[in-house]
């Protein structure tokens, strides 16, 4: 929540420079309050598991949030009952005239396919077009982020020789960024993907900024300068055992190209309890995003199309961030031996 300060307080300039929310008395008195309205496009096969992961993060915010669920009409989900979809999900047609503070688009296990080979790719783009005039800010996850970066900004996806699988360190690029405010200099982020994004394409686009970056996993968090679109390439929403379940699933299938999850099991022993080392930053990112949306979205959501068209979304950051460690000495924790090791006495 923002702090309310006396009008003209000298500290306001410093707070502004550190991107801290501070409302002066007249602005605070004019504020109108209502619940946030979010819609979630859930592209993951296990709908209920993903719903639970996302709602767990959203619930950590002190804000009241109303949530709708969207699905694609051009793809038939096979890992959830039809009754569940009929009861809780609607396709884009049902939301066409609605306006939202935020949209969340999940990942999907299709990153190995060319975009035009995904059976709902055209519908995905229709949803992005709708969101550009009906949603204040969109948070994309994993494949959702790759698809949106390509569709909206021409950032190409490339297949990886080896799947990025495990928990990887990310370097914080801006300690005063709204979205990463409160992050440590080193952040751990789960990844489970067969593809990455072209970092040169990201760097060439003046509308995009890299907020976290890792030497092995590449960008972990990218955003537009006005935060109308946020792209998380990893899976901060994952639960403690999600990577273990994915690993066991692939082994059970007899797949031979399954990498062992990096930085996850103590002593790299899958019989030991995995380490839940990303929970705090996951909660913090979602709280920050919801808080930013809450502070900057209009009370009347019908104003969103005009604000989006005029690019007046509360902040327009001119700072650009190049991927790299914030440390000049090149120190790279968590990349050597010993991470997560439990030693018997």
């Amino acid at each position: 929540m923002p702090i309310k300060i006396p009008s003209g307080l000298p500290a306001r300039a410093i707070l502004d420079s550190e991107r801290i929310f501070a409302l002066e008395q007249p602005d605070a008195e004019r504020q109108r309050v209502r619940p946030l309205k979010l819609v979630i496009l859930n592209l993951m096969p296990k709908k209920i598991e993903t719903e639970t992961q996302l709602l767990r993060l959203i619930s950590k915010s002190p804000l009241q949030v109303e949530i709708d669920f969207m699905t694609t009409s051009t793809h038939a989900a096979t890992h959830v009952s039809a009754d569940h979809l009929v009861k809780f999900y609607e396709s884009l047609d049902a939301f066409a005239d609605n306006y939202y503070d935020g949209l969340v688009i999940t990942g999907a296990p299709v990153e190995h396919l060319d975009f035009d080979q995904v059976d709902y790719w055209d519908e995905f783009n229709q949803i992005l077009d709708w969101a550009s005039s009906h949603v204040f800010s969109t948070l994309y996850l994993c494949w959702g982020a790759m698809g949106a970066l390509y569709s909206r900004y021409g950032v190409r996806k490339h297949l990886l020789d080896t799947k990025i699988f495990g928990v990887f360190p990310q370097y914080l690029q801006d300690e005063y960024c709204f979205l990463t405010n409160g992050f440590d200099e080193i952040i751990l982020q789960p990844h489970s993907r067969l593809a990455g994004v072209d970092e040169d394409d990201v760097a060439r686009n003046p509308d995009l900024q890299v907020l976290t970056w890792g030497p092995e996993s590449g960008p972990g968090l990218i955003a537009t300068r006005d935060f109308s679109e946020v792209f998380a390439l990893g899976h901060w929403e994952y639960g403690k055992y999600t990577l273990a379940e994915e690993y066991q699933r692939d082994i059970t299938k007899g797949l031979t190209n399954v990498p062992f999850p990096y930085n996850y099991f103590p002593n790299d022993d899958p019989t030991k309890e995995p380490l839940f080392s990303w929970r705090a930053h996951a909660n913090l990112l979602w709280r920050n995003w919801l808080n930013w949306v809450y502070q900057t979205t209009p009370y009347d959501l019908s104003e969103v199309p005009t604000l989006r068209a005029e690019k007046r979304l509360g902040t327009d950051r001119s700072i650009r961030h190049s991927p790299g460690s914030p440390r000049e000495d090149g120190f790279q924790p968590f990349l050597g031996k010993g991470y997560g090791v439990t030693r018997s006495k």
Side-chain angles (χ1 to χ4, degrees):
M1 301 296 284
I3 56 176
K4 186 172 69 175
I5 60 175
S7 299
L9 189 72
R12 175 62 185 268
I14 298 175
L15 296 175
D16 285 345
S17 71
E18 297 181 5
R19 275 87 82 186
I20 292 175
F21 291 117
L23 292 177
E24 295 188 359
Q25 188 76 24
D27 295 325
E29 292 174 352
R30 284 194 296 268
Q31 268 201 324
R32 292 183 291 173
V33 179
R34 59 165 175 76
L36 281 179
K37 291 179 64 65
L38 296 185
V39 58
I40 297 173
L41 173 60
N42 188 356
L43 300 174
M44 292 295 281
K46 296 183 178 180
K47 305 293 185 190
I48 296 174
E49 179 181 336
T50 303
E51 292 163 15
T52 304
Q53 292 172 348
L54 296 178
L55 294 179
R56 184 181 292 123
L57 289 166
I58 293 170
S59 70
K60 300 298 175 63
S61 168
L63 303 172
Q64 183 178 347
V65 183
E66 297 177 355
I67 298 174
D68 293 325
F69 288 97
M70 183 186 293
T71 187
T72 56
S73 60
T74 47
H75 177 80
T78 58
H79 290 74
V80 67
S81 69
D83 180 67
H84 182 82
L85 292 175
V86 169
K87 187 174 183 179
F88 298 108
Y89 283 77
E90 298 278 3
S91 62
L92 177 60
D93 289 342
F95 300 101
D97 297 325
N98 294 0
Y99 297 97
Y100 289 89
D101 298 286
L103 165 65
V104 178
I105 298 183
T106 72
V110 293
E111 71 270 21
H112 60 291
L113 299 176
D114 290 339
F115 289 122
D116 57 8
Q117 292 180 318
V118 177
D119 56 6
Y120 50 81
W121 178 244
D122 289 341
E123 187 176 5
F124 178 82
N125 282 281
Q126 292 171 8
I127 293 170
L128 296 192
D129 290 342
W130 167 81
S132 67
S133 60
H134 287 72
V135 177
F136 194 74
S137 181
T138 302
L139 175 56
Y140 307 94
L141 310 179
C142 200
W143 180 86
M146 296 181 205
L149 282 168
Y150 177 73
S151 177
R152 303 274 292 154
Y153 301 98
V155 176
R156 291 165 292 180
K157 172 175 69 76
H158 58 82
L159 295 180
L160 303 172
D161 294 333
T162 303
K163 181 179 181 180
I164 296 180
F165 188 55
V167 184
F168 295 86
Q170 295 269 309
Y171 294 121
L172 181 65
Q173 303 298 297
D174 179 4
E175 64 178 303
Y176 296 126
C177 172
F178 288 132
L179 294 176
T180 55
N181 190 5
F183 275 34
D184 295 326
E185 289 188 9
I186 302 293
I187 309 106
L188 296 174
Q189 184 184 39
H191 288 262
S192 178
R193 51 188 168 90
L194 294 162
V197 297
D198 191 303
E199 295 187 46
D200 291 334
D201 287 347
V202 175
R204 280 191 292 265
N205 195 309
D207 292 326
L208 301 174
Q209 55 182 328
V210 175
L211 300 180
T212 71
W213 179 87
E216 293 183 311
S217 55
L221 189 64
I222 301 170
T224 56
R225 289 196 304 154
D226 60 4
F227 303 123
S228 61
E229 294 177 284
V230 181
F231 311 89
L233 274 298
H235 285 285
W236 271 309
E237 79 279 5
Y238 270 12
K240 179 176 182 177
Y241 299 102
T242 307
L243 290 171
E245 291 166 357
E246 289 187 4
Y247 178 68
Q248 187 58 50
R249 175 201 65 197
D250 291 345
I251 293 297
T252 302
K253 287 181 178 179
L255 300 180
T256 58
N257 61 342
V258 183
F260 190 80
Y262 183 73
N263 280 352
Y264 183 55
F265 290 110
N267 285 332
D268 283 346
D269 184 348
T271 66
K272 288 186 166 60
E273 190 85 358
L275 293 168
F276 200 174
S277 56
W278 61 92
R279 177 168 46 193
H281 286 102
N283 286 326
L284 190 51
L285 172 66
W286 281 78
R287 287 187 194 181
N288 286 347
W289 179 63
L290 290 172
N291 190 30
W292 177 83
V293 170
Y294 176 80
Q295 300 304 329
T296 55
T297 193
Y299 181 84
D300 184 353
L301 284 172
S302 66
E303 298 175 11
V304 167
T306 300
L307 295 176
R308 289 295 302 261
E310 297 177 356
K311 297 185 177 180
R312 293 190 294 116
L313 299 183
T315 56
D316 183 12
R317 308 214 25 244
S318 59
I319 298 174
R320 294 295 311 284
H321 302 295
S322 299
S325 167
R327 297 184 62 95
E328 295 181 357
D329 57 14
F331 176 57
Q332 297 186 355
F334 308 113
L335 295 183
K337 294 182 179 180
Y339 172 84
V341 172
T342 56
R343 295 182 176 86
S344 58
K345 295 182 179 178

